[in-house]
Amino acid sequence: MKFALVIFETDASRRRIQADRDAYRKAYEGWIAQVATTGKLVGGEAFDTEHTAAVTVRKAPDGTSTTTIAPAHDTEETLGGWFVVDVADRDEAVELAKALPTPETIEIRPILESA
């Protein structure tokens, strides 16, 4: 089963990461290497959360749209990136997320696969 591990940063996690970026990067890359070595990492990307503002396009029922320079959801958490993993079940995806040694919040979503 494939799951997306969606990474959210908070002000607190960003401060912890910025306090020692080298240690953070080493821990993060070690986790990625470990998951990749097991063949469970399908892909993923990090978003630039420090230098580029998000752009949101909202579609109305009448077909019109509005564009704002802001995240779609205005909360303290910022979408930081994602991984896709191929694991036996949700419990295994949860364990992989728990093993990420960095301070972000991780949302686990099943990926809809066509039959």
Side-chain angles (χ1 to χ4, degrees):
M1 299 178 72
K2 290 182 183 171
F3 289 86
L5 306 182
V6 184
I7 311 298
F8 290 93
E9 297 176 354
T10 63
D11 292 340
S13 70
R14 270 190 293 281
R15 281 192 299 276
R16 288 176 57 197
I17 291 165
Q18 291 168 349
D20 192 348
R21 190 167 292 282
D22 289 338
Y24 163 79
R25 179 58 54 198
K26 184 177 179 180
Y28 204 72
E29 289 175 355
W31 179 86
I32 293 168
Q34 183 179 23
V35 177
T37 299
T38 64
K40 296 176 183 178
L41 182 65
V42 175
E45 295 291 338
F47 297 127
D48 181 350
T49 59
E50 293 182 28
H51 303 101
T52 307
V55 177
T56 300
V57 176
R58 293 194 188 278
K59 299 283 194 147
D62 67 2
T64 61
S65 61
T66 57
T67 304
T68 56
I69 307 298
H73 302 285
D74 188 22
T75 68
E76 185 216 353
E77 293 182 320
T78 302
L79 183 58
W82 52 272
F83 293 100
V84 174
V85 295
D86 193 354
V87 294
D89 54 30
R90 184 176 64 187
D91 291 341
E92 187 175 5
V94 168
E95 291 307 311
L96 285 176
K98 286 180 176 180
L100 182 64
T102 58
E104 301 92 353
T105 298
I106 304 165
E107 182 175 308
I108 300 161
R109 294 276 188 139
I111 294 179
L112 184 61
E113 298 184 63
S114 57

